[in-house]
Structures are given as structure tokens and as C-alpha cells.
Amino acid sequence: MSEKLLVPDIGEFERVEIIELLVKPGDQINLNDPVVTIESDKSSVEIPSTVSGKIESINVKVGDKVSMGDLLLSIETSKESPSEKPIPKDTESIIKQAESVLKNEKKEETIQQKPVEEKKQTIIQVTNNNDIDPLETQDWLESLSAVVAKDGNQRAHFLIKELINKAYREGANIPYTQHTPYINTIPPEAEVKSNGDQNIERRIRSLIRWNAAAMVVRANKKFPELGGHIGTFASAATLYDVGMNHFWRAKNNKFGGDLVYFQGHSAPGVYARAFLEGRLNEKQLDSFRQEVKPGGLSSYPHPWLMPKFWQFPTVSMGLGPMLAIYQARYMKYLINRGLIKDEGRKVWAFLGDGEMDEPESLGAIGLAAREKLDNLIFVVNCNLQRLDGPVRGNGKIIQELEGSFRGAGWNVIKVIWGSYWDSLIANDKTGHLVKVMNETVDGEYQAMKARDGAYVRERFFGKYPETQELVSSLSDKDIWRLNRGGHDPHKVYAAYDQASKNQGSPTVIIAKTIKGYGMGKTGESVNTTHQTKKLDVDDLLYYRDRFDVPLTDEQVKNVEYFKPDEKSLEIKYIKEKRMRLGGHLPERTTYSKPIKAPAKDIFDFMKVSTGEKEMSTTMALVRMFTNLLRDKNVSPRLVPIIPDEARTFGMEGFFQKIGIYAHEGQKYEPEDSAQLSSYREDKSGQVLEEGINEAGAMSSWIAAATSYTNHDIEMIPIYIFYSMFGFQRIGDLAWAGGDSQARGFLIGATAGRTTLAGEGLQHQDGHSHLIASTIPNCVSYDPTFHYELAVIFREGLRRMHEKNENIFYYITTMNENYSHPSMPKDKNCEEGILKGMYKIKEFNRYGKTKIQLLGSGTILREMMAAAEVLQDEYQIDSEIWSVTSFNELRKEGMEVERYNLLNPDKEQKVSFVEQCLGKTEGPIMAASDYMRMNSDQIRPYTNKSFYSLGTDGYGRSDTRQNLRKFFEVDKEHIVAYGLSVLAKEQLIASKYAKEAIKKYNIDGSKPMPTKL
Ligand SMILES: Cc1ncc(C[n+]2csc(CCOP(=O)(O)OP(=O)(O)O)c2C)c(N)n1
Ligand SMILES: [Mg+2]
């Protein structure tokens, strides 16, 4: 039976050009195989076959214009009746999704109904002055306790939810409560106990504490300028130790490894443990913060500086939380796409309570809950202090964070009080202790730990007779010993255990600690703790005694490290624990296989002229992607990342072709389901459509770009954004990407100050290349023509993903439509494109006066047009150079200059700029759609006179032509400036310049655009 394949619904487009035929008569094709590619003036899309069979005839050819309903081709299919046709893919996936959701719901129900283990519940009756009927209250509370005891927490939760719903329906305006009382989330009877040897673990922890402090103090004794932090790790030691001894599994040949984001300035503690584990030696500890000589330990976690140790740069606060969230999401993406196994790996992120004030820290927590990232655990170390003072002196950071995370849908575990408090809380029959706990603000909590037990008795327990009574039998010393949850390994263990088992939501553990724990008068809980990096002998002796470190006074005075013998119980224990957990952590390794770059001819279609057809480089890029998706090595590894601009860039064709990643699939039939580019979400979708969220998209890009080390699979992330909202918006993340040795493409689309015409000041980018140039391993290009883009992109694939160079690419693409010429035949052209410049055209008609014109991006075309005017109207010859990257030229020039200066007696090298321009005639004039500084970068590497034009100043919306005129980079200005340059160089009379300025109505007294 013969089926006719017609042009499907392609939205608003009509008479769209066929640019490729992907099949020929006689070909056997399968359902959904692409058969032709069509291209509108904005995007190109493949049309898939709706049936399987053999191509009988093709009714169209390349260049034809088609609209919806036009016949494309006929396919001979097997003789099944239409009713036997397979269910359309969409419908099938909707059914599957629905089924899986039903299954999930069932599963959830069974979990909910499962009663929790029976445990003794203490009813805490908080005295409440508003209680008009305490007996009735008691009744309700007792009923609730009975439900918890009989049917478990979930049932109790369900009943409460139903009660609230009912109350709303009855008209009661119940305020939403974000908080639970200021006590631990896990009651003592529900705590899972550690099987570790607490005595040994305490001794090990004390040694780690000591060595961490010693390395900071020793470094500062030698070089007081070096800095460092003691107080942060002192507060977090238990939080790390419990994880290291019991929870965090390393990567090895059997398991992919948990990923731990260490809080940046707790690095000394991580080194100190590595020292005990035998991974670092004393000499290395003594090189803390002395990173220039090889072997030094980096101040903070920097994979660039310690590539075999650190995995995640976290010290720029706020980036760690976001990166960890998107890392966990990316892990699920890889699993759902079938690229890695689901091994139950976790992402742990350690954060400071002060750090949580960074908008980025909380900015993505909604996504974590929405995506049900139960592979993610945040641990917020609430030592109540940041650098200058209390995080929330007048409030309670733990409660505030609880509210934010609960509101966002996280599983929240508060670890506030240590085990010594358990009996006090159990005896708090009147609820006054919890009342005091709730009422005391962080400023008071901090002050108490800077004082002593007597002070705590008076200021805390002394608030009510009931609480005073509670501690009447305790000495001041006992009161002082009442520990905080984050310093109690039992409480921390129980929290980690529960967090690790939690399903369906991310977990945050909010742990209360003391900044500078154990540092005594100089450093414990005082406002200056953060910057304490020197401890005098008395402080050190106190610290030793506080943690029973087996060092003599003399050794303490010398601030010696302490490492027990290899055969000691401690060392054996610490090693054995790590062995059980699969190896060392942190450790950065890579076992991924390179991706073979596609054959060179895959982009050949971009090396021939587009003829009459005009297109933008953004569109050329999308065409290139479409081709890449046909390369079997590359295709599955591509990770297109878009922050809600796919349609702007003409990429909507990808929605159907490769799908948008959605962990729940698509639960709805999209409004545009009949259309070819319908919005298709899929559990195994490939596109990461991040919504309006550049920072999130960049975090996804970093996760994918470091996939080769964190997941041992090389991926090719391509993040395409509005160029202005790239480096400028998320520069710090881009820097962290460089530090992480990210490999992938950043595409700054709609680039160029005058090329993006109508959008205005905040949209028009004239400087992203300069920001990109600040990142040492970022390779950036500003191509004009499609063949340049093809050469650059393929080389990027080869260098990064086949040769595994630790670089990343930034390429700008534009939205200006023009026709693209064929690639010049010159054999050096490709080399020039990659090094940054090549001669694209030469005007030699007159042989009198010459000028060298260097143009970049869209402004190259203004240069070419200007050169024609110069020749035709002024008899000026010129050579035109397409500069694909001023940044790359500068890097090479700098290196050559440096070599020459440092090797005055050796044969002097010649920079590539000089190789190109050194022997040419006439002065140089360069222009781009970026600030003059962009082209000025190569000024030092040539001996010729050099002039720059550029788009310095704020952008504004107008037509391209008017903008180029305003910024003086249009053809007319280039002609006038060119003549002026030649006059200044005394190569022509100045009257020509003057005439041109007049002719083009250029106002010489107009202020510089930077002042307008
Ligand atoms: C973006 C950013 N701003 C400022 C700093 C400097 N800084 C380093 S640590 C710190 C205080 C950290 O306080 P907190 O997050 O509470 O961590 P703690 O040391 O108390 O555990 C500051 C301001 C930084 N590292 N990153
Ligand atoms: Mg803090």
C-alpha cells in the first residue's frame, strides 16, 4: 500500500524552502526517520516520516518552497490496515507516563500507609497564654500521640493536613506555619545508631582538628600575609568526620562515587584528614597557601590548582549550592537518558549559614524539590556567625532556613541539640525549656558560648523558674557541657542516615554548631573568630588540652603536627573506614573515553556559498547542530542547554527531534501537539530547557562540561544564550567553570552591540569577548561566515572532546541575515581562522596607496563594503582581514613577546599578527562590534600604525544602520576614518578625509558615544 507523506503543520510558516533531501527512491526507512529538511528565515527543521517503508517517489527537490499539506514523497508500506497502525509516538508516551505515574502514586500510597516503628513519644505541652481550654488541647494532643504511636508519622501528617483543609473550607483563616519547634527533627528514640567506635573516632577527630589548625598557624608564622581559617573547620569537624567515616562512598571501578562539595574555607580540615590517611605529607601541609611552587596546597578547593584532589570550586559563596543542585539534577538526567547506571549516588553540599544569604544559595532550591532530587543532601553548618558577626543576631537562622526549605518542599532535618540535652528535653514536662529555646535569639546563643556555664545558667535557664529548676542539679561545668547537635556524632549520624534513605525529595540538614569550637577565649564564638589565623602558645596549649592531643608543651610551642604510627589503632581505623567506603575522598580522576570528532566533511555544506540565500550565523549554527545530530558518536553526547530562548534562536525543531528533558515525562497534551515543532517533554529528553534562568543553565553546563570526571562520561554541552546575559550575568560561574576544567561550548547568540538592533541598552553586548578573555582557558571567537563557524566548531570538538584539552569555547553568533561566501581556497585559510585572522580579500587595482582593514563579526562586512568605496571613489587599495578572534591573537602575541624578551640571545619569534601584517603595506585600521579594547588587544604585536573603531558606550534600540552610524562602525564612517588615517600617516592629502566627513554628514563635534 502506498502512503503519501505531506508537509505537516509547521505553524505560521508558509512557502518554506527545502534545503536537504535525506532520502532517495528505493531507500528503506523507518517511522520517524527524517526525510527532508526545511528552512524558514528563522530555523531549519527535519520532517520525519510518519510510516515505515520504501521510498517510491520524491515529489520535491532542494530549493522548492513548500507549505502545509504539500506532497513530499510517496512511501510503499506493508499492507496493514490503518487500524493496525502503531499508536502515535506521542500518545504512546502519554499512556506510558500515565501508567508510570499511577504506579508511582500507588507506591507512594503504600509508603505513606506503612506505620513507622513504634516509638515512645513525649508530649511537649508548650504553655500558651492564648489557650482558652487547656483540657481540650490536651485531648487533641493525646489523640495525636495515639495516632503517631499506632499508625505512624505519615498518618498523623495526613490527618493534620485533612484538618487544615477542612478548616479552610469552613472559613477559618489559618496562618501557614513554616516552622517546627526549636528542637531536633529526629527524636532520640528514632535515632539510628552508628556502629563506629566513638572513642577512636573522637581521637581521630581531635588530631584532624589539631593538624588543621597547626597548618594555618605554621603558614602564618612563616609568612604572616598568607591568611587562612581555623574557626570554620573547628565548627564543622564532626559534620565532615561522620560523613568520611560512614557515609561518603568514593569512586572506584565498581561504583561511580558520591560527590561532596566541601565548604571552601574548611579546606584545612580536608587536608588534615588526607594527612592522616597518608595522602599528604608534612611538607605538603607546610606548603598550605603556597601554591606557586608545585606541590603546594591550594587555599581553597580549586580543581585547576590541585587537579587530582579537588573536584568542585566552592569558595565563591553561593555558587556551591547552585552547582550542587544542578549536579544532582544532571545526574538524574544522565540516568534517565540511559547514559549512566542508577547506583544511588548522592550529592552532598556543605554550606555556611552566612553563605545562605547569597541569593544564589536559595535561588534554585525550588527546582531541587520540583525535580524530586532525593540524591541531594545539603548540610548547612549553622555556627550562627559569618565574617563580621552574627548571621541573625535578632532572629534564628535555623528557623528561617527551615521555613524556606520546607516551603520549597525539601525534607528538613534540624540537628540543634546534642545528646546531653536529651534528658533535659524529656523532663521538660511543662514545655518551658522548648519555650526558652524558641524565644532565645541567635545573638544570645552566640554570646553564651563565648562565656561559661554560669552565664548560661543565668541568661538561658534563668528565664523561667521551671527551666531554672530543670538544671538545679547540674553544675556549671555540666551546663557548659550541654553540647550542640552539630558537634554530636550520634545526632549527626542519625541525621545523615535518615537523609541518605529519604526518597522523593532533597534533604537539608541544618546543624547548629559553634564557630571556633574548642578555640577558647581567643577564638570560640567571638565575633572575630572568622579571621583568627594566629594562636599564641596559651591558645595552643588550651586547644591541645581541650582535645587531648598527645603532644608535649615543647611540641605545642613548635606547633608540630601529630600523626600516630601507621600501625596505631587510629590510623588503621581511618584507613579501614575509607577502604570500606571504596577509597579516598575528595579525589579527582577521569576514566572517560574521548569522543571521536566527526569526519571533516560533516560540515562541508557550510564551506560552499549560500548564494542568494541569506542567513544569520545563529541559523548556520542550528543547521550545524542538525547535522551533528546525525553523527552517531557525537549525537548522544550533545547536551543542548537553553534558557527559554529556543524560539529566538530557531531551535524549536529540537523539541520534537530530541525532546526536552523532564523527569516526569509529559503529563499533558501540548497545545501545539499537531505541529512539527510541538513542545515535547520526555523523561529521556536531551535538551535542558532551563526556563529564564541563566545561572541555572550555566550550572547545568558546568555539570555536563565536567561529566568526564564526575561521571566518567565525556559529554558535549552547548549552552546557547543571549550574549549579554552570558558572561556579564554569570561571570563568576564561568570563572568557576574554568577552574573546574569544564569542556564544552558557550554560544553567545544575538551578539554584537549594533547587530542586535531593536533591544536597547541592557541587551546589546559589546564586551562579552573582553570578559571571556579574562578566563585563561576560555577560547573565544567572533566569526562572520558560516565556514568560519564550521571550522572553529569542529576544532573545538576535536580539541576538547577528542584530545581532552581542558579548555572551553565561547563563540558569538549573530541574528543579522546575509549571504555567506564559499570558503577561500587558500590552504592557510583554515589555520588562519583558528589562529584568529586570515586575508579574505584584496583590492589591488591602483597600486598607489594601501590600507590594511581588519574586521570581526558582522562589522567585517561593513569593512568589505567600505573597501569597495575606498577603491572605487578614492583609488585606495586595501587588504581585508577577517579577524575571527582578537583574543586568540593577543594570547599568541603575548606569548611570543614574552619569549623574545626573556630570550634576548635566541632567534626571535614572530607573532602571528606580525606574520600576517608585518610585510604588508599601509597602516592598519581594525573594527568590531565590540569595544575598541577588543581590537586594541593586538596593537602591541605589530610595528605598524594601528587604529581601532568600536562600539564603546551604552547600546540603545534603533535600526542596525542607525546604530552603526551612532557608534561609527558603518561603511561610511569606516571610509571617512580610513581616509583620515591615511592622511595622518601622510599618505594622502587631508582634504579627502575632510570631504568624506562632509559628504557622509559626519559631525566632528559630536561627543564620544561613551558620553551619550
Ligand atoms: C561571594 C563571596 N563573598 C565573600 C566571600 C568572603 N568570605 C569568605 S568566608 C566568609 C564568611 C562565611 O560565613 P559562613 O558562610 O557563615 O561560613 P562559616 O565560616 O561561618 O562556616 C566570607 C564573607 C566569599 N568567599 N565569597
Ligand atoms: Mg557561619
Side-chain angles (χ1 to χ4, degrees), residues 232 235 263 265 315-317 352-355 358 381 383 385-387 391 515 530:
T232 297
S235 71
Q263 199 186 347
H265 50 288
V315 77
S316 179
M317 311 203 126
D353 48 357
E355 178 174 14
E358 289 284 3
N381 175 19
N383 52 27
Q385 291 174 242
R386 47 187 162 77
L387 192 151
V391 175
K515 195 144 176 168
H530 191 80

Side-chain angles (χ1 to χ4, degrees), residues 91-149:
T91 319
E92 193 180 37
S93 59
I94 289 169
I95 294 170
K96 266 199 203 137
Q97 290 301 336
E99 280 171 356
S100 70
V101 168
L102 283 177
K103 264 186 232 150
N104 279 348
E105 275 171 7
K106 266 195 198 141
K107 222 159 83 192
E108 272 168 27
E109 251 173 51
T110 45
I111 294 170
Q112 278 183 5
Q113 280 166 5
K114 194 172 147 229
V116 291
E117 292 147 40
E118 198 176 318
K119 57 196 170 212
K120 205 171 100 291
Q121 283 283 326
T122 321
I123 303 164
I124 296 171
Q125 187 196 330
V126 180
T127 313
N128 186 341
N129 296 336
N130 295 328
D131 192 345
I132 53 164
D133 189 349
L135 275 180
E136 187 185 40
T137 312
Q138 186 71 18
D139 262 6
W140 281 71
L141 292 179
E142 276 170 9
S143 306
L144 188 66
S145 291
V147 172
V148 172

Side-chain angles (χ1 to χ4, degrees), residues 155 345 396 455 517 564 700 707 783 823 856 905 913 948 958 993:
R155 173 74 187 150
R345 295 165 66 202
K396 283 211 277 298
Y455 185 88
Y517 184 63
S700 274
S707 195
M823 181 160 158
S856 178
D905 51 336
V913 172
S948 274
D958 211 314

Side-chain angles (χ1 to χ4, degrees), residues 201 205 208-209 232-248 260-270 273 277 301 310 314 348-352 355 379 381 486 492 496 513 578 581 585-586:
E201 286 188 19
R205 195 156 49 246
I208 295 174
R209 286 177 184 286
T232 297
F233 180 72
S235 71
T238 307
L239 298 175
Y240 285 117
D241 231 35
V242 173
M244 283 287 200
N245 285 334
H246 301 285
F247 289 92
W248 303 334
V260 184
Y261 288 70
F262 293 93
Q263 199 186 347
H265 50 288
S266 59
V270 183
R273 174 171 256 269
E277 288 175 12
W310 292 116
T314 47
W348 292 72
F350 279 76
L351 319 164
E355 178 174 14
V379 181
N381 175 19
V492 173
Y496 284 10
T513 62
R578 283 314 313 164
L581 289 164
L585 215 145

Side-chain angles (χ1 to χ4, degrees), residues 416-524:
I416 304 178
W417 308 111
S419 305
Y420 291 121
W421 287 88
D422 286 349
S423 56
L424 284 184
I425 295 172
N427 291 332
D428 178 31
K429 300 295 179 208
T430 64
H432 277 85
L433 178 56
V434 176
K435 190 170 154 67
V436 181
M437 288 170 166
N438 282 336
E439 286 168 356
T440 306
V441 293
D442 282 356
E444 292 174 280
Y445 280 120
Q446 184 199 336
M448 281 187 275
K449 282 298 177 189
R451 305 286 163 80
D452 55 22
Y455 185 88
V456 178
R457 185 192 296 280
E458 182 198 327
R459 295 296 180 104
F460 182 78
F461 293 106
K463 283 189 181 165
Y464 295 102
E466 290 85 345
T467 41
Q468 213 164 17
E469 175 56 29
L470 259 183
V471 292
S472 57
S473 61
L474 299 188
S475 68
D476 287 350
K477 227 172 163 184
D478 292 334
I479 289 180
W480 191 239
R481 208 175 289 135
L482 290 168
N483 54 348
R484 289 193 180 166
H487 294 298
D488 184 329
H490 305 287
K491 302 286 181 195
V492 173
Y493 184 94
Y496 284 10
D497 180 78
Q498 199 186 91
S500 305
K501 293 173 184 159
N502 183 54
Q503 283 185 2
S505 59
T507 295
V508 60
I509 294 166
I510 311 180
K512 184 164 170 160
T513 62
I514 297 165
K515 195 144 176 168
Y517 184 63
M519 286 167 71
K521 293 274 169 282
T522 30
E524 190 156 346

